[in-house]
Amino acid sequence: MIEFSAMMLLFFTLSYGEGVPQKATVPTPVGDIRQVDFRNFTYRLEWDKEKEIIRLRDGGWIRADGAEFGLQRITYGDLTSDRSEEAIILLRCQNTRTSRTLDEVFIYTLKDGKVIALAHFEGGRRGDYILSVESLKSNFRVEDQLLILDQAILREGEYVPTQYYTIKYRWNGIQMVEVERTCLKPIPEGMREMS
């Protein structure tokens, strides 16, 4: 009778998967950076020894203090001369109760099928912002391994920016560095994102 009970216990254990080693799920390697869903992605910010994790869902996220993060724009292009595209993502943070807009630019690349953070930088000071509405023909693109963007500048005495620079950045092997900046230009009325 004891042998029969032991056999039945072994049968039920094997039938229900107890004691059977389970295979760990391994993320599928990505073959093209454009396959990555950056609207549903976890971004990591690091500045002045502080870290913050931004978990976008459907392109947005609200922090506990009410600050809202939103995906504004994505562009692709080869910034590193490796003949593979990088993804350049523009996130905007706004907490209208406590502070002005702050834009963050994240750059990701692929290495052995994995998404790797290449660089991150702020899109100006608080109150500045990167013109991001693609239909308004603002620059947020890669050309000849340069990231080209239009940055609206909040000048002293202004409530919202009325002028902007076109800025070019190049990857120097360690970080993105500014290599060219135009003179300040007035933001055309139809291109203003904030008024």
Side-chain angles (χ1 to χ4, degrees):
M1 184 73 166
I2 294 175
E3 283 181 55
F4 177 74
S5 297
M7 293 267 292
M8 290 304 290
L9 180 62
L10 178 62
F11 172 76
F12 283 119
T13 301
L14 292 175
S15 296
Y16 290 102
E18 293 178 27
V20 177
Q22 301 293 318
K23 290 184 179 178
T25 56
V26 177
T28 306
V30 178
D32 185 345
I33 195 79
R34 291 178 186 249
Q35 295 175 320
V36 179
D37 182 5
F38 288 106
R39 291 181 51 78
N40 295 286
F41 193 81
T42 300
Y43 298 85
R44 288 173 173 73
L45 278 174
E46 291 187 35
W47 65 93
D48 296 333
K49 298 180 186 175
E50 291 190 32
K51 296 180 182 180
E52 181 168 11
I53 295 186
I54 301 164
R55 291 182 177 89
L56 287 194
R57 296 297 169 257
D58 294 324
W61 181 65
I62 300 175
R63 199 167 55 193
D65 67 357
E68 295 183 30
F69 289 83
L71 189 145
Q72 296 300 115
R73 200 160 168 189
I74 300 175
T75 194
Y76 300 92
D78 181 10
L79 293 170
T80 60
S81 312
D82 65 354
R83 296 185 182 156
S84 297
E85 288 185 315
E86 278 70 46
I88 302 93
I89 295 97
L90 173 60
L91 294 187
R92 179 161 294 154
C93 173
Q94 263 184 308
N95 188 343
T96 53
R97 294 180 305 199
T98 59
S99 63
R100 297 180 180 272
T101 300
L102 181 62
D103 283 351
E104 304 282 348
V105 177
F106 292 86
I107 302 172
Y108 291 93
T109 193
L110 288 181
K111 183 170 184 174
D112 300 326
K114 296 179 184 170
V115 179
I116 305 292
L118 185 68
H120 160 260
F121 62 92
E122 291 182 358
R125 303 165 303 172
R126 284 206 177 271
D128 298 347
Y129 66 91
I130 295 171
L131 297 173
S132 63
V133 181
E134 191 168 2
S135 63
L136 299 178
K137 307 294 183 210
S138 58
N139 286 306
F140 191 74
R141 61 191 167 90
V142 175
E143 184 178 290
D144 298 326
Q145 297 170 347
L146 295 171
L147 172 61
I148 304 167
L149 56 82
D150 293 328
Q151 182 182 47
I153 303 297
L154 183 67
R155 296 177 306 155
E156 193 170 332
E158 289 183 330
Y159 181 70
V160 294
T162 60
Q163 298 192 328
Y164 74 103
Y165 295 109
T166 297
I167 306 172
K168 295 180 180 180
Y169 294 90
R170 182 178 300 280
W171 175 249
N172 71 0
I174 299 170
Q175 63 186 3
M176 297 298 288
V177 292
E178 184 179 319
V179 294
E180 188 178 319
R181 179 182 293 238
T182 64
C183 296
L184 271 175
K185 306 175 273 191
I187 302 174
E189 196 66 40
M191 282 180 65
R192 291 187 186 176
E193 296 178 30
M194 299 179 190
S195 52

